[in-house]
Amino acid sequence: MKLKTFKPDDVRGKKVLMRVDFNVPFKNGKVTDNARILAHTSTLKKLLDAGAKVALVSHFGRPKGKVDPAFSLKQIVPDVEKAYNLKVVFVDDCVGEKVAEAVNNLKSGEIVLLENSRYHPEEQKNDPEFAKQMAAPFDVFVMDAFSACHRADVSTCGVIDHVKASFAGDLLQREAEMLGAVSENPAKPYVLILGGAKVSDKIAIVGNLLNKATTILIGGGMAYTFLKAQGKEIGKSLCDEERLEFSRDTLRKATQMGVKILLPVDSVVASGMDATDVSIASSDNMPADKMGLDIGPETVKLFTKALDGAKSILWNGPMGVFEDDKFAKGTSDLAKAVADMTSKGAVTVIGGGDTASAVRQFGAADKVSHVSTGGGASLEYCEGKQLPGMYPFKAD
């Protein structure tokens, strides 16, 4: 999808409100992963190079509409300054005269960071009056927070009606371009890799992409619902009982459409996630007292072979409990296989969330075409939904 982005003349000398996603992992007073901050570097640089005065607005955690120091963005100011090599002027609100004053007084090499937008209950209600207040000091709005664009909030879309012009930033455009490449009209052979815990989380994406995929690989916890739908013993493995019929129906439809669905032929099993009795079990002989916690080595071979020759790959959902080394090999090996296909010319997109964390953990993030910054947003995009923080910028 092509979005409406800004040119230097659109923002030169203008006061710009830029929606970013600084909802970063934060522990013991420190940002533990600044990837989301760095993701906005390109857009911010273009604005500043054009002479714009820029204020950044974001949410941080879930303060539930109340001022709570634990969720203050003031805590991450040093990390923002370090990431952008700029002085950050912090304002302890996201609306009001103090915001206008800070923006008016900005000097070269400075940006404004506004306080957590979710301190105000009106933010997530997309309240028109609050949107008018937030937009008041600004001429232009730039939306660059893809990971929040599935939310119809004041700071993601409500302000658009109250500024002279609005545009998508580089990050938003990149997400639209890459997710579009593997969900709208993907080059074939097209392989869709699905994992994670629940079938219910992936129903809409299966419905939207089943008629576009060449092959679908299903791993993770959701695979056991499909295996049970085939009549197999799954032991104590996760099962979305309410989605068994959906799973059967999906397998039937895929066969009718000529789409190949591959399920695990073996699993790494144990009596529990904290157990030490780890072993490999065939999907045709799953012990009743064990649970599947990762795809097994034969499944890795099967899935890797299925990727061979693919021109488009979308991966959403890990293959097992990758946070635990005992159950990480399936996801790790698949990450390497997807990276290998990228080197052979395939367009490969990682659909954010846990899958993005996994490919970063296994050193494959810079070896694939694109790692989405949005978990829920990337999922909804690939489900074919119109995202409220993106579709207003769709180019004609």
Side-chain angles (χ1 to χ4, degrees), residues 1 146 174-188 190-192 194 204-213 311-316 347-351 370 372 377-385 387 390:
M1 182 193 296
F146 173 72
R174 173 70 174 169
E175 293 277 9
E177 176 187 339
M178 296 307 299
L179 288 169
V182 292
S183 65
E184 292 167 9
N185 189 26
K188 294 188 176 183
Y190 171 36
V191 181
L192 174 62
L194 297 176
I205 197 170
V206 170
N208 189 46
L209 298 180
L210 184 60
N211 66 338
K212 299 175 183 178
K311 292 185 178 178
S312 305
I313 299 171
L314 171 62
W315 181 8
N316 193 299
V347 175
T348 57
V349 175
I350 308 303
H370 180 66
S372 180
S378 64
L379 196 62
E380 290 193 20
Y381 187 104
C382 293
E383 289 169 359
K385 294 180 180 178
L387 307 185
M390 178 181 280

Side-chain angles (χ1 to χ4, degrees), residues 223-235 239 241 243-245 247-249 251-252 263-264 282-286:
Y224 299 102
T225 302
F226 279 86
L227 289 169
K228 185 169 182 177
Q230 289 184 327
K232 295 184 185 295
E233 170 66 56
I234 64 167
C239 182
E241 296 283 349
R243 306 302 177 187
L244 284 169
E245 186 52 41
S247 301
R248 294 187 192 99
D249 189 49
L251 292 169
R252 284 195 296 266
L263 298 171
S282 165
S283 295
D284 291 322
N285 192 28
M286 173 77 76

Side-chain angles (χ1 to χ4, degrees), residues 18-25 31-42 56 58-61 76 79-80 83-84 118 144-150 171 175 351-354 356-357 360 371-378:
M18 178 177 163
R19 180 44 157 108
V20 296
D21 184 2
F22 286 173
N23 188 31
V24 291
V31 172
T32 57
D33 184 350
N34 70 348
R36 283 186 167 177
I37 298 174
L38 291 172
H40 300 292
T41 303
S42 175
L56 308 179
S58 177
H59 71 286
F60 184 51
I76 73 165
D79 297 274
V80 177
Y84 299 146
R118 290 188 182 174
D144 206 40
F146 173 72
S147 47
C149 74
H150 59 315
L171 176 59
E175 293 277 9
D354 288 341
S357 297
R360 283 195 290 268
V371 179
S372 180
T373 56
S378 64

